[in-house]
Amino acid sequence: MTSLSRRSIIAGGLGLLGSTALVACSPQTSSTLPAAPKNSGTVPTDGAAKALGPQARKLFAAHGIQADTAEDAITALDQMAKQRPLPLTGSVGYDQVLFSDDTNQVNVPLTGGQFYLSMAPYRTQTHECYYHSLGGCQGELTGTPVHVTVTTDSGQSLVDEDAVTYTNGFIGFWIPRDHTGTVTVTTPGETATSTFNSGPDGPTCLTGLHLS
């Protein structure tokens, strides 16, 4: 199936599912993300991150979140120190994120040319996930120190750093779009690996990182 056809199916399903589809983590077949709006005030013109429109600002303000861009809002929600689910969530795609609460939703383009790759390493239990749900996904390991490397198939190092998993059990990294490669997460005596794809049909959520 082409990317265009897939996005058309996703857009069609949104009206039926509504914001309730955003509470849990999103499998690949979930009708979660519509096609990015072509005439939004936040559509990029120069590839740089753009300020949020009034609808998005109003939604975030209602939940006490201060953010100037969609990228800021993703970081704030993902790192919020509260157990999931949250009253406000966001489903993260390749170049857009759909923010939603019980009554409102707004689809905001990601305009900085970066891909948000989130991951939840685990030891005993995990869950299926494709589009990362900022306020719905809950991983097993919280507050866990790890070392993360993200390397492309051509050998380019995109991430090589220590991190601590958030309250939701995830850690997230902004990486360049349109690459494939390998993610490695290590703790003392444990290693987990997974492939990644930061292309248009790549998952923004990795939950198959089994530490052993």
Side-chain angles (χ1 to χ4, degrees):
M1 180 182 294
T2 66
S3 175
L4 179 61
S5 297
R6 185 168 174 270
R7 291 193 180 193
S8 297
I9 292 173
I10 288 173
L14 180 65
L16 296 176
L17 292 177
S19 62
T20 56
L22 300 175
V23 174
C25 293
S26 306
Q28 184 175 8
T29 56
S30 175
S31 300
T32 304
L33 293 173
K38 295 183 178 180
N39 296 303
S40 167
T42 56
V43 169
T45 58
D46 58 5
K50 296 296 180 181
L52 295 167
Q55 185 179 1
R57 288 184 178 276
K58 182 178 180 180
L59 179 62
F60 296 144
H63 294 273
I65 294 176
Q66 295 183 343
D68 293 323
T69 66
E71 290 80 2
D72 291 341
I74 286 174
T75 299
L77 270 176
D78 216 19
Q79 298 185 25
M80 187 171 288
K82 294 181 179 180
Q83 196 73 13
R84 272 51 178 175
L86 300 176
L88 175 66
T89 190
S91 189
V92 184
Y94 169 73
D95 58 1
Q96 59 192 303
V97 56
L98 180 62
F99 295 103
S100 177
D101 60 13
D102 287 340
T103 57
N104 298 289
Q105 62 183 26
V106 57
N107 187 41
V108 183
L110 297 172
T111 61
Q114 298 287 295
F115 182 94
Y116 191 67
L117 182 65
S118 58
M119 56 194 76
Y122 74 99
R123 293 191 177 103
T124 61
Q125 61 181 6
T126 188
H127 58 276
E128 290 188 9
C129 183
Y130 199 86
Y131 295 122
H132 182 45
S133 177
L134 297 166
C137 287
Q138 180 62 54
E140 176 190 38
L141 304 179
T142 63
T144 302
V146 295
H147 187 83
V148 179
T149 62
V150 179
T151 307
T152 68
D153 288 333
S154 64
Q156 180 184 4
S157 176
L158 302 180
V159 176
D160 186 357
E161 61 184 77
D162 295 324
V164 178
T165 56
Y166 313 143
T167 300
N168 62 0
F170 280 78
I171 39 179
F173 299 92
W174 292 100
I175 64 173
R177 291 176 185 166
D178 304 320
H179 288 279
T180 58
T182 302
V183 173
T184 301
V185 178
T186 58
T187 64
E190 300 174 307
T191 300
T193 61
S194 173
T195 58
F196 78 90
N197 175 4
S198 61
D201 292 315
T204 59
C205 185
L206 301 181
T207 55
L209 288 158
H210 185 203
L211 290 166
S212 60

